[in-house]
Amino acid sequence: MLEQWYTGVVTKIVDETYNTKRFWIQIPEKASFDFKPGQFVTLDLPIHEKKNKRWRSYSIASHPNGSNEIELVIVLLEGGLGSTYLFTQIKEGSELTLRGPLGVFTLPEVMERDLFLVCTGTGIAPFRSMAHHLHLHGIPHPNIYLISGSRYEKDLLYKTEMMQLSADMPGFQYIPTLSREDAPSWTGRKGYVHAVYEELLADKRPAHFFLCGWKAMIDEARQKIVAMGYDRHDIHLELYG
């Protein structure tokens, strides 16, 4: 079956950090854009003659709410044709060609084990969607640990919102972890995300791992998690860049 392409209209753009923007896109052809938390859309951008070199995929950062509008959070990659186009050419009211929702990076049907959602950078997008979805619908869930890695505090996305969710949602813990921050005002975790889940899982209890973000982080996490004695089938991943 050929995927259908839609015309999306950009309704709002917000600068989230110095190098990331949030884009809200409405799909007028659909009364509601239904997706599962964790899925992504693919944009067809006019940046190349070849189709496959024009396509850029982004996880949906918003949760399914019955509307025909979704949110994407996008980082400006140095030399990145796709993100440069979106940052410089797209304004509120611009049109974008997209297809989706796509992907199987979604919550398990049966959630009996603790969930470790490990991300770097904009890799937090699918986890934000999942967490809000579970909270809003009161879906029973095990302990959920959202371990979000960045270099500096200024790089953290949705920090205030995730801290609020951590306070409001029993069994949900947001653990931002910074690898290069040396400001005395930062009292949270320092270092890399791996040390956090290794510590939390010293008891080797059953767990599911969802990894989203930079390839180097995902490769290292896969090795470490298997070395801890977990099965590779316990690991689900979505690669960025």
Side-chain angles (χ1 to χ4, degrees):
M1 177 185 142
L2 286 171
E3 288 292 336
Q4 189 179 345
W5 291 89
Y6 300 101
T7 299
V9 179
V10 177
T11 53
K12 185 174 158 188
I13 301 172
V14 169
D15 291 331
E16 179 71 1
T17 69
Y18 65 98
N19 69 344
T20 55
K21 286 181 189 278
R22 296 164 70 178
F23 294 82
W24 281 261
I25 303 167
Q26 195 174 31
I27 298 95
E29 291 158 79
K30 292 185 82 68
S32 90
F33 190 82
D34 300 320
F35 63 95
K36 289 181 178 173
Q39 288 191 301
F40 64 88
V41 291
T42 296
L43 306 182
D44 186 356
L45 304 172
I47 52 175
H48 203 278
E49 281 120 52
K50 287 188 178 162
K51 265 196 271 192
N52 59 347
K53 299 212 170 166
R54 294 200 306 258
W55 294 350
R56 296 291 185 276
S57 296
Y58 299 100
S59 293
I60 302 170
S62 46
H63 52 273
N65 60 4
S67 82
N68 63 352
E69 190 174 62
I70 56 170
E71 180 190 330
L72 307 179
V73 60
I74 295 170
V75 63
L76 181 61
L77 293 171
E78 211 171 309
L81 289 179
S83 60
T84 300
Y85 175 81
L86 290 165
F87 272 60
T88 57
Q89 304 301 312
I90 294 299
K91 313 274 183 281
E92 291 178 4
S94 294
E95 292 189 342
L96 287 167
T97 303
L98 68 121
R99 68 175 182 186
L102 302 160
V104 293
F105 188 71
T106 52
L107 289 163
E109 293 290 319
V110 181
M111 290 191 287
E112 293 167 330
R113 307 174 185 187
D114 286 0
L115 297 181
F116 285 78
L117 313 178
V118 185
C119 61
T120 44
T122 53
I124 194 169
F127 301 149
R128 177 187 186 236
S129 181
M130 291 174 185
H132 278 298
H133 178 73
L134 293 173
H135 183 51
L136 277 170
H137 297 281
I139 296 167
H141 59 82
N143 291 315
I144 300 175
Y145 302 91
L146 171 54
I147 306 166
S148 177
S150 285
R151 287 175 181 149
Y152 300 99
E153 188 173 6
K154 64 177 183 178
D155 298 316
L156 287 170
L157 297 165
Y158 305 116
K159 175 175 146 245
T160 310
E161 187 185 300
M162 289 299 114
M163 286 172 77
Q164 187 60 52
L165 200 54
S166 219
D168 296 343
M169 186 175 170
F172 175 75
Q173 267 192 60
Y174 168 60
I175 310 169
T177 306
L178 305 179
S179 60
R180 296 191 187 167
E181 187 60 77
D182 47 14
S185 58
W186 177 253
T187 55
R189 294 284 311 218
K190 288 184 186 174
Y192 293 105
V193 292
H194 312 293
V196 181
Y197 60 77
E198 286 176 331
E199 240 170 74
L200 287 166
L201 285 166
D203 57 2
K204 302 284 193 283
R205 65 185 178 277
H208 270 296
F209 300 87
F210 284 78
L211 313 174
C212 188
W214 305 324
K215 184 178 185 303
M217 180 279 283
I218 287 183
D219 290 346
E220 193 173 340
R222 286 168 79 180
Q223 289 172 357
K224 286 183 182 290
I225 292 163
V226 170
M228 287 162 71
Y230 290 96
D231 191 291
R232 58 188 178 83
H233 298 298
D234 299 332
I235 305 169
H236 315 269
L237 43 108
E238 198 78 280
L239 275 174
Y240 277 21

